[in-house]
Every structure is written in structure tokens, then in C-alpha cells.
Amino acid sequence: MTIDGMTSLAGINIPGHPGTGWCIFVYNLAPDADESILWQMFGPFGAVTNVKVIRDFNTNKCKGFGFVTMTNYDEAAMAIASLNGYRLGDRVL
């Protein structure tokens, strides 16, 4: 998992997102992963403003990664420190 300020993600547009906060890249998600899983995982660490699971256009299955945007850097960093290496089903994030 990585964190980056939304203002430094040149060329990346996450639909429906206002463009403020800290964007966390989450990878190695299962094909059946959805947004609710990310809300549940990251919500306890602080204010989550947006989650997005990237899906295959043809199958609508998760492509293995997604984004979580949090408003507070320290909360986002704590979420990464706590969830990096977390086992979700049979996968390690």
C-alpha cells in the first residue's frame, strides 16, 4: 500500500472525487472485492471520503486494486501501517 497527496497524482482522475485528501493505493484485492470492504477496513482509522475498486470493463470483477481517500495524513499513515500485510481472505494486501 502507498499513500500520496491527491494534488501530486498528476494524470490520475478518480471519478466522483473532489480531489482533496490523501489517496491510498490498495493492491492484491480479490476479484470479488467491492467498495464496502474498503470502507469497513479503513473506516476505523479515521475519516474516509472516497473508495474506488477498479473493475474490469467486461467482467465487472475487481482488477486487483483500488483507492481509499482519507482526509487526515496521520490517520492515513496509521491505516497503512496497520493494514499493510493484512490478510484478506486468501490474499495479503
Side-chain angles (χ1 to χ4, degrees):
M1 284 187 250
T2 60
I3 185 171
D4 205 343
M6 287 300 293
T7 56
S8 67
L9 290 174
I12 295 177
N13 181 23
I14 300 173
H17 188 271
T20 59
W22 298 95
C23 185
I24 302 168
F25 174 65
V26 183
Y27 58 93
N28 205 21
L29 295 170
D32 62 344
D34 62 12
E35 284 79 2
S36 67
I37 294 225
L38 295 178
W39 282 107
Q40 291 171 14
M41 287 175 41
F42 286 83
F45 294 97
V48 175
T49 58
N50 190 51
V51 296
K52 179 70 178 171
V53 169
I54 306 304
R55 300 183 182 283
D56 179 270
F57 181 75
N58 294 321
T59 65
N60 203 35
K61 299 266 185 198
C62 175
K63 287 179 124 183
F65 65 98
F67 299 92
V68 176
T69 305
M70 298 182 74
T71 57
N72 181 283
Y73 176 83
D74 292 329
E75 292 171 351
M78 181 58 73
I80 289 172
S82 299
L83 295 173
N84 192 33
Y86 179 79
R87 181 171 290 281
L88 183 62
D90 63 348
R91 295 172 176 251
V92 177
L93 303 182

